[in-house]
């Protein structure tokens, strides 16, 4: 069964060499059951610390963390151990036991949970099949590729049938092709087992491919949050804009802009396209209505899990008042930003 994860006013600071290091500053977030939720942000933003409060590897200094109805941050001892079996974790560095076979790595949490030998065998075989490694059961981690190691890590995290999977930069140590395979596997975990997935990543492509929602963190705070497509198509903060721009080449950077300007000396505007609810050809309609011509000089449209979104930079050509009226009409139809001359 999938569960929600709720952070209520979570703050955390570390004592380090006699100084107080703030890591989380009043974070409140709700992850709906069954969602794939991504957390992005620069190094040191507090992403790992936030994730680690979900299975109480870190405890908030103040505030609470709930998985479903259960307040994880207040559990101790046996009740914490049993709650942790409902929360799987996947790590960047895989964290496999080097001296044990693939089979034994996956069986390890099942033995801790007290499962019988024959149930363990059945469950491990099922998991090996799910992650596509049935033929590697008796190999050791050192005999596997990075992507295979991470698939073992995911199988191990799923062993005790968790409701929530937390994943800290699971694909950061992998090459781009293997990254896609592992992301695909996380998506299948979510779809086929209904597991809520909370993942930290610095790859916005990963977010774009599989996330339902995304939060952007900076200095221990959540500075932006929403559906992946809304954060991509309309980022509000500087940090989110930089993250989005790093993967989507929808807006010209200063260098492209100076190339554009060598030829296109008219008024330039950026218009949002792609995520519209009708097929109204607003660009040609509005410019025609005002007797203005346009050139498309830059732009792109991308796909997220559930929608299309993009931006076009266009040059408007016509008499000054007609161009002004065109920009006003475009603003009524979509998001428009004028590009400084
Ligand atoms: N165990 C710790 N002891 C002291 N400081 C820590 C510890 N863990 C994290 N921090 C500090 O907390 C802040 C957030 O760290 P972290 O959650 O790892 O960020 P991120 O995962 O976004 O890179 C950083 O300033 C980091 O140095
Ligand atoms: Mg981290």
């Amino acid at each position: 069964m999938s569960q929600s994860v709720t952070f209520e006013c979570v703050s955390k600071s570390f004592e380090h060499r006699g100084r107080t290091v703030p890591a989380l500053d009043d974070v409140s977030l709700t992850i709906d059951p069954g969602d794939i939720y991504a957390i992005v942000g620069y190094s040191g933003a507090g992403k790992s610390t936030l994730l680690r409060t979900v299975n109480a590897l870190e405890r908030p200094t103040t505030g609470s963390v709930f998985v479903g109805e259960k307040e994880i941050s207040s559990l101790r001892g046996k009740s914490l151990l049993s709650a942790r079996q409902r929360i799987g974790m996947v790590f960047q560095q895989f964290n496999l036991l080097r001296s044990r076979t693939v089979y034994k790595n996956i069986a390890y949490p099942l033995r801790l949970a007290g499962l019988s030998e024959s149930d363990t065998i059945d469950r491990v075989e099922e998991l090996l099949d799910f992650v596509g490694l049935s033929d590697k059961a008796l190999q050791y981690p050192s005999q596997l590729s990075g992507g295979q190691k991470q698939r073992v890590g995911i199988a191990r995290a799923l062993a005790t049938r968790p409701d929530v999977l937390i994943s800290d930069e699971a694909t950061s140590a992998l090459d781009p092709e293997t990254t896609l395979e592992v992301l695909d596997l996380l998506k299948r975990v979510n779809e086929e087992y209904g597991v809520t997935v909370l993942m930290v990543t610095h790859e916005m492509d990963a977010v774009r491919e599989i996330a339902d929602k995304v939060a952007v963190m900076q200095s221990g705070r959540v500075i932006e949050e929403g559906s992946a497509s809304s954060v991509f198509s309309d980022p509000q903060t500087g940090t989110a804009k930089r993250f989005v721009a790093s993967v989507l080449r929808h807006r010209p950077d200063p260098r492209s802009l100076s190339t554009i300007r060598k030829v296109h000396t008219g008024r330039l505007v950026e218009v949002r396209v792609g995520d519209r609810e009708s097929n109204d050809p607003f660009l040609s309609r509005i410019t025609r209505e005002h007797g203005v011509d346009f050139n498309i000089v830059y732009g792109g449209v991308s796909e997220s899990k559930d929608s299309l979104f993009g931006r076009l930079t266009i040059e408007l050509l016509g008499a000054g008042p007609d161009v002004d009226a065109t920009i006003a009409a475009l603003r009524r139809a979509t998001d428009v930003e004028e590009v400084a001359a």
Side-chain angles (χ1 to χ4, degrees):
M1 201 178 70
S2 54
Q3 292 281 11
S4 59
V5 178
T6 312
F7 301 93
E8 270 182 19
C9 308
V10 173
S11 293
K12 169 77 182 177
S13 47
F14 293 100
E15 298 304 321
H16 186 66
R17 294 186 183 166
R19 286 179 44 212
T20 302
V21 182
L24 295 174
D25 180 10
D26 198 25
V27 173
S28 293
L29 265 189
T30 302
I31 289 82
D32 290 331
D35 266 3
I36 299 185
Y37 198 109
I39 299 173
V40 303
Y42 291 103
S43 183
K47 306 178 298 295
S48 295
T49 306
L50 185 71
L51 214 62
R52 290 159 61 85
T53 64
V54 176
N55 59 2
L57 287 177
E58 300 290 357
R59 285 178 192 282
T61 310
T62 58
S64 322
V65 181
F66 295 84
V67 172
E69 303 287 298
K70 207 167 261 172
E71 187 181 351
I72 294 291
S73 48
S74 69
L75 299 180
R76 295 277 189 285
K78 269 200 178 134
S79 49
L80 177 59
L81 289 181
S82 80
R84 274 191 183 144
Q85 288 176 6
R86 320 296 313 151
I87 304 162
M89 183 157 188
V90 181
F91 303 86
Q92 178 177 1
Q93 296 304 336
F94 321 123
N95 289 16
L96 303 179
L97 301 165
R98 296 152 58 101
S99 62
R100 307 215 185 164
T101 61
V102 166
Y103 177 92
K104 290 209 166 156
N105 266 281
I106 301 172
Y108 186 71
L110 296 171
R111 293 186 48 189
L112 288 184
L115 211 68
S116 75
E117 190 65 34
S118 72
D119 286 348
T120 301
I121 292 173
D122 289 349
R123 180 72 182 142
V124 175
E125 280 179 356
E126 182 190 335
L127 288 160
L128 281 169
D129 182 52
F130 181 76
V131 301
L133 291 176
S134 297
D135 56 336
K136 303 283 189 228
L138 299 180
Q139 303 223 321
Y140 287 86
S142 60
Q143 297 170 285
L144 303 178
S145 69
Q148 290 168 335
K149 283 181 200 161
Q150 194 55 294
R151 283 191 267 158
V152 176
I154 291 171
R156 179 188 53 190
L158 292 175
T160 53
R161 303 182 192 277
D163 308 311
V164 173
L165 188 70
I166 54 182
S167 162
D168 196 353
E169 306 211 18
T171 59
S172 297
L174 306 176
D175 60 58
E177 197 174 320
T178 315
T179 293
L180 286 181
E181 270 172 42
V182 168
L183 289 177
D184 205 51
L185 181 58
L186 288 175
K187 199 165 153 184
R188 276 179 55 220
V189 167
N190 172 258
E191 285 168 0
E192 293 178 33
Y193 291 123
V195 176
T196 307
V197 176
L198 178 55
M199 63 176 204
V200 166
T201 180
H202 61 247
E203 292 152 298
M204 287 301 269
D205 270 329
V207 179
R208 190 172 62 78
E209 294 278 336
I210 70 169
D212 296 292
K213 294 214 175 128
V214 55
V216 183
M217 288 189 71
Q218 188 176 27
S219 309
R221 301 183 137 257
V222 171
I223 56 168
E224 193 154 340
E225 199 232 339
S227 72
S229 50
S230 71
V231 172
F232 270 105
S233 62
D234 195 17
Q236 303 293 314
T237 57
T239 298
K241 283 182 181 169
R242 279 196 297 281
F243 259 99
V244 169
S246 70
V247 282
L248 305 177
R249 304 268 165 225
H250 292 177
R251 297 162 165 242
D253 59 19
R255 207 165 56 98
S256 325
L257 201 55
S258 74
T259 308
I260 291 166
R261 281 296 189 197
K262 283 178 191 151
V263 179
H264 301 284
T265 53
R267 300 262 294 273
L268 295 183
V269 291
E270 271 183 38
V271 293
R272 188 159 121 199
V273 295
D275 59 342
R276 303 177 59 80
E277 278 152 14
S278 78
N279 70 346
D280 168 32
F282 72 101
L283 205 51
S284 60
R285 178 176 57 75
I286 290 171
T287 48
R288 185 169 353 100
E289 279 167 10
H290 294 89
V292 165
D293 284 315
F294 67 89
N295 272 314
I296 296 170
V297 299
Y298 204 90
V301 178
S302 302
E303 190 173 13
S304 72
K305 201 174 171 191
D306 53 9
S307 72
L308 295 170
F309 54 92
R311 285 188 169 263
L312 294 180
T313 303
I314 58 175
E315 177 189 30
L316 296 170
L317 300 167
D322 294 337
V323 171
D324 285 337
T326 302
I327 293 174
L330 286 172
R331 282 193 203 286
R332 288 192 288 276
T334 188
D335 266 12
V336 178
E337 270 179 53
E338 188 152 4
V339 181

